Amino acid sequence: MNTTIIIFGATGDLASRKLLPALYRLLQKGDLDGCTIIGVAHDHLTAEQILKNTKQYVKNWDDRIWKRLESIVSYHVVEFEAKHDYTKLAEHIDAIEQGKKSNRLVYLATAARYFCTITRYCAEAGIAKRISEQDRSWNRLAYEKPFGHDLVSAHEINRCITHYFDESQIYRVDHYLTKEVVDNIALLRFTNVVLEPLWRNTYIQNVQIILNEELGIKSRGSYYDTYGALSDVTQNHMLELLALIAMEAPEKLSGHYIRQQRADVLENVKVVDAVVGQYEGYRQEKGVRPDSTTETFAALCLQVKNERWNGTPFFLKTGKKLEKKETLIRIKFKNIDCLLEQEYCPSDSNYLIISLYPDATFSLVLNAKKPGKSFEVAPVTMEFCHSCVFGDSVPDAYQTLFEEIFKGELATSVSLREIEASWRIIDAVKSKELVVHKYEAGSRGPSEAMRVFSKKHGVGWSE
Ligand code: BG6
């Protein structure tokens, strides 16, 4: 069946860097046959200009595919808050569909403050309709993270959008949930007897979730300054990773079941400690307030209050303009009760490292004997490298995200329970009114974070 994809915020950074390149790849794969794409925003631009911006982000360029993309993309100017603009948009869509029955995906790549208005006007203009999934065609709406800016706003947005659409039509998207390695976490845990029985506080000392970025905020100053590191990546990507690591086995690895397990974890998370920072020079960035106290760095110590995890801290650390880009989960196992003479006992324990960036790998760090006559112990790594085994064919997260929405797979969408629970955690951190520590661009973050976490919690983030 034909599908019409309507992207609100089509002139923004996300659309040009991620959404349109992902749609290009789907077209290349032959998965967009019969689809049309309508970009929508308030800027007076043309489809050609928007696609020109996108070109630099498209890998494996093929002129034929590009021409086909050009032939299915159009652009329509809409002031998000001007109701009558939606009537014209509806006419534009009808003219393109020419009376053929089509699925419709409305993708809101806009600031969350527009979610309610856009949803309401789309519903009133008939751009998307409340239709049950039993119907032959579907109408779905995807909302980019962050969904709101705190618990109250998330609740308000949800109240508004569920007034117009059924929960089954709503996708609160988080592209981390469609990363290939992330998808693998649950499988790795529940299908390996060498891991599953150890996956608890008895054997795990701590879990570190690290999302370090080398880049700053680029052209996204005004967006970033409203949200900061806690709302931009911690409330969503990092807490979803925590939920996947800590959840109980779902009855099925899909939709409703997996969402329920993730929510159960997030509802039991308590904040133990937090340090925030801002890189030197942030206030001079375009779009940032000159007296901004927005955090560009956050380090948290969290506790999951349940039988499995009591006593095992979860450490989260993220920041912009740090020394290097690196995204990983490091699971530190407890030290063994060593039965050998002291001199042969390892000084360090085992680790499982799940790396999302720069490489997609799972590494198990074990202790082994160094070559030679003495019994000196050294850490050695057993590694599963995704591209070495499966080639470089790992799909991009946004490509998978579109595919999952087309299939109607809800596991990649975050449920309201998860959204509310994660905002509750972030609101609790923000209510502490923390001092914002300065840090040098290109460093490891504020020295205060290193001090607090190593002194109080014994974590140096890199061991
Ligand atoms: C986005 C954030 O959701 O995730 C960005 O808005 C961040 O600030 C990005 O850079 C990180 O995603 P990835 O896939 O590059 O790790």
Side-chain angles (χ1 to χ4, degrees):
M1 163 128 15
N2 296 343
T3 299
T4 307
I5 304 163
I6 304 139
I7 302 177
F8 280 82
T11 55
D13 179 72
L14 182 75
S16 55
R17 273 193 321 118
K18 300 287 184 185
L19 304 182
L20 290 164
L23 290 168
Y24 169 90
R25 278 187 297 276
L26 287 175
L27 194 65
Q28 198 165 33
K29 264 182 76 191
D31 288 353
L32 275 198
D33 292 343
C35 287
T36 43
I37 302 165
I38 303 172
V40 178
H42 54 248
D43 307 275
H44 287 267
L45 291 179
T46 63
E48 291 72 41
Q49 285 167 312
I50 291 167
L51 286 172
K52 206 168 150 218
N53 275 342
T54 294
K55 228 169 179 171
Q56 56 187 308
Y57 302 110
V58 172
K59 292 191 198 121
N60 301 329
W61 170 269
D62 178 334
D63 204 42
R64 257 177 339 113
I65 307 293
W66 188 255
K67 290 220 162 67
R68 280 185 53 211
L69 184 68
E70 283 176 331
S71 74
I72 61 167
V73 175
S74 63
Y75 178 69
H76 197 86
V77 179
V78 168
E79 278 299 335
F80 297 155
E81 278 162 342
K83 187 175 174 175
H84 60 271
D85 281 3
Y86 291 75
T87 316
K88 292 198 197 114
L89 174 62
E91 287 165 8
H92 177 74
I93 299 170
D94 288 343
I96 286 178
E97 290 178 353
Q98 297 178 333
K100 289 194 205 106
K101 203 168 172 71
S102 291
N103 300 316
R104 285 190 184 170
L105 168 62
V106 178
Y107 199 111
L108 287 84
T110 67
R113 66 178 183 282
Y114 295 119
F115 285 177
C116 177
T117 312
I118 295 175
T119 308
R120 174 178 161 207
Y121 290 155
C122 278
E124 289 176 356
I127 292 167
K129 297 193 177 90
R130 186 191 277 272
I131 51 176
S132 92
E133 290 281 306
Q134 276 80 45
D135 283 9
R136 259 184 15 91
S137 63
W138 49 257
N139 280 194
R140 295 180 185 144
L141 297 98
Y143 298 85
E144 257 297 329
K145 49 102 331 219
F147 192 84
H149 59 269
D150 59 9
L151 177 62
V152 174
S153 59
H155 200 79
E156 267 304 297
I157 294 170
N158 203 66
R159 200 181 51 77
C160 165
I161 67 178
T162 50
H163 177 75
Y164 298 100
F165 294 99
D166 191 72
E167 179 65 25
S168 62
Q169 299 177 272
I170 295 171
Y171 290 74
R172 302 173 195 86
V173 300
D174 181 332
H175 78 278
Y176 263 57
L177 291 175
T178 48
K179 284 186 188 256
E180 191 61 35
V181 184
V182 174
D183 245 2
N184 220 327
I185 295 176
L187 221 69
L188 176 89
R189 280 186 55 187
F190 300 120
T191 59
N192 288 297
V193 71
V194 293
L195 293 177
E196 212 286 324
L198 305 183
W199 213 263
R200 50 171 47 257
N201 48 9
T202 327
Y203 299 104
I204 295 182
Q205 175 92 36
N206 65 52
V207 177
Q208 300 169 35
I209 300 173
I210 296 174
L211 198 165
N212 288 345
E213 298 192 87
E214 198 179 341
L215 287 178
I217 51 169
K218 294 179 84 188
S219 56
R220 301 161 74 216
S222 68
Y223 155 80
Y224 195 87
D225 205 39
T226 325
Y227 289 95
L230 286 168
S231 308
D232 181 43
V233 293
T234 315
Q235 179 267 338
N236 34 76
H237 306 330
M238 300 182 81
L239 286 175
E240 286 299 331
L241 291 179
L242 180 151
L244 283 170
I245 292 288
M247 73 180 184
E248 298 300 318
E251 214 174 299
K252 293 183 188 164
L253 265 186
S254 61
H256 159 74
Y257 302 97
I258 202 161
R259 284 170 22 138
Q260 229 170 22
Q261 295 299 349
R262 293 193 312 237
D264 284 350
V265 171
L266 294 171
E267 285 175 353
N268 282 299
V269 169
K270 295 281 168 296
V271 180
V272 179
D273 228 328
V275 175
V276 294
Q278 186 186 79
Y279 64 81
E280 306 270 7
Y282 171 74
R283 289 177 176 182
Q284 282 79 56
E285 300 269 19
K286 193 165 163 246
V288 170
R289 290 159 297 155
D291 56 350
S292 169
T293 53
T294 298
E295 76 290 343
T296 60
F297 173 97
L300 309 181
C301 171
L302 305 176
Q303 196 62 250
V304 179
K305 291 282 177 200
N306 62 22
E307 207 191 320
R308 183 183 288 274
W309 295 112
N310 272 338
T312 295
F314 285 73
F315 299 113
L316 274 54
K317 177 164 90 80
T318 184
K320 296 277 187 198
K321 287 234 172 159
L322 295 178
E323 61 180 352
K324 61 176 178 206
K325 178 166 165 78
E326 143 182 89
T327 318
L328 58 91
I329 302 165
R330 184 183 291 116
I331 295 164
K332 179 176 179 170
F333 291 92
K334 291 192 172 168
N335 272 333
I336 192 166
D337 285 337
C338 184
L339 301 173
L340 305 173
E341 289 163 64
Q342 191 55 39
E343 61 182 303
Y344 304 129
C345 288
S347 56
D348 210 353
S349 53
N350 301 136
Y351 293 90
L352 175 69
I353 299 167
I354 304 170
S355 165
L356 281 70
Y357 190 93
D359 299 310
T361 54
F362 290 95
S363 313
L364 191 58
V365 183
L366 303 172
N367 290 303
K369 180 185 154 303
K370 267 192 180 173
K373 278 286 169 218
S374 73
F375 281 98
E376 217 181 314
V377 180
V380 292
T381 303
M382 288 171 62
E383 188 171 273
F384 155 56
C385 147
H386 205 285
S387 61
C388 312
V389 180
F390 297 114
D392 273 332
S393 57
V394 181
D396 163 81
Y398 274 95
Q399 185 184 326
T400 311
L401 194 129
F402 277 114
E403 286 171 327
E404 300 284 286
I405 299 176
F406 293 159
K407 272 194 270 169
E409 173 51 70
L410 278 168
T412 49
S413 158
V414 181
S415 67
L416 182 63
R417 267 182 72 203
E418 291 167 85
I419 296 267
E420 291 196 335
S422 52
W423 277 124
R424 229 172 255 128
I425 299 163
I426 299 303
D427 287 356
V429 176
K430 289 193 173 165
S431 71
K432 290 177 185 282
E433 297 187 359
L434 300 162
V435 175
V436 182
H437 300 276
K438 291 279 179 208
Y439 63 96
E440 218 178 295
S443 70
R444 295 181 64 208
S447 47
E448 181 65 6
M450 304 305 148
R451 200 188 61 75
V452 168
F453 279 80
S454 67
K455 210 164 158 193
K456 270 170 71 180
H457 305 294
V459 59
W461 299 113
S462 55
E463 77 273 35

